[in-house]
Amino acid sequence: MPLKIKNCQLLILLVALWFLGHQKAFSQVEAVAGLNYSYAMNDGVLPNQKAIVTPTIGLLTSFQLKDSSIHHLKTGILFMVAGYNQDFDETTYSKRFKYLALPLLYKLQLSDAISVEAGAQFRMMVLREEEYKYNYRREDIAAVFGFNLFEGNMLSIYVNASYGILPMVSYQRIDEIGNFNGKIEDIHNTMVSLGIKFKLSGND
């Protein structure tokens, strides 16, 4: 397991360095900043849960597929925060999960100003608190769907929704007499995100 984690961290670093060194090869490079409405989908293991608002920042790039003006592949590197709050006995407990994410999306340009996109985000939890190291899965893969507005401008808007496919927790279910009775795999990061993109370079 440590080897897999190190390999994933190395992959994220290499992609980031390659991305920064090859900006001119892409159709468009953008800095992004936004807010996420974050919630943990679950089967009842998180009573009294409340959604929270968290940040996302990063760099995104896209390039045309097969010399097409409407079909693009989009990737980059993002730092994002997911999580939730829980209320117990008039006390609020907060969970914050910090991720580095590598999106891999297909983007369809509907017009000069509007596009839709779908794909996956490969996420690795970073800056973990001690309690998270043993209770929560470090890796996540999220399905993503969204759209972009005003793409012809220096500043544009993005909106997307994502659902974490991998369960964050996995543990044995124990019955009333102490026997193991199957496995519980639950809690999925779910986010709706809204933000702005600032075009750093790109083809007009």
Side-chain angles (χ1 to χ4, degrees):
M1 186 65 175
L3 182 59
K4 291 182 180 179
I5 291 174
K6 289 181 180 179
N7 287 342
C8 189
Q9 291 173 325
L10 179 60
L11 175 62
I12 290 175
L13 177 61
L14 291 176
V15 169
L17 292 175
W18 178 84
F19 168 76
L20 292 174
H22 293 77
Q23 291 187 34
K24 294 183 178 179
F26 301 117
S27 299
Q28 190 165 280
V29 179
E30 301 166 309
V32 300
L35 296 175
N36 315 305
Y37 181 81
S38 179
Y39 185 81
M41 295 289 288
N42 66 95
D43 292 329
V45 299
L46 297 176
N48 306 316
Q49 181 196 176
K50 291 183 178 180
I52 60 172
V53 177
T54 62
T56 290
I57 59 172
L59 292 172
L60 292 175
T61 187
S62 61
F63 55 91
Q64 297 176 357
L65 296 176
K66 296 182 179 180
D67 298 322
S68 170
S69 61
I70 64 172
H71 301 288
H72 298 79
L73 183 64
K74 188 173 182 179
T75 187
I77 186 164
L78 301 171
F79 174 77
M80 61 177 52
V81 181
Y84 57 90
N85 288 345
Q86 263 186 298
D87 292 334
F88 286 111
D89 298 327
E90 300 182 356
T91 300
T92 299
Y93 297 89
S94 298
K95 298 293 185 182
R96 301 290 186 273
F97 309 107
K98 304 174 182 69
Y99 290 97
L100 281 180
L102 296 176
L104 186 61
L105 307 173
Y106 165 73
K107 183 174 80 168
L108 176 64
Q109 198 74 39
L110 300 179
S111 70
D112 290 340
I114 302 174
S115 67
V116 296
E117 58 193 26
Q121 280 183 358
F122 301 89
R123 300 171 179 170
M124 170 66 70
M125 195 184 300
V126 296
L127 305 176
R128 292 189 299 170
E129 298 180 16
E130 191 66 28
E131 64 173 299
Y132 296 169
K133 293 183 178 180
Y134 308 102
N135 299 327
Y136 297 94
R137 184 192 300 270
R138 190 169 194 181
E139 303 84 6
D140 194 11
I141 300 174
V144 182
F145 176 80
F147 58 92
N148 306 282
L149 302 173
F150 314 117
E151 286 205 297
N153 301 330
M154 186 67 69
L155 286 176
S156 59
I157 296 173
Y158 74 87
V159 180
N160 65 50
S162 64
Y163 175 78
I165 298 172
L166 300 180
M168 293 192 67
V169 296
S170 178
Y171 55 90
Q172 295 293 329
R173 187 192 305 271
I174 302 176
D175 61 23
E176 294 82 359
I177 60 175
N179 295 321
F180 292 117
N181 185 20
K183 181 181 288 188
I184 295 176
E185 294 185 333
D186 202 4
I187 305 180
H188 298 264
N189 282 319
T190 307
M191 290 190 287
V192 176
S193 304
L194 171 66
I196 60 172
K197 300 183 295 180
F198 180 77
K199 185 162 65 173
L200 301 176
S201 65
N203 298 332
D204 297 324

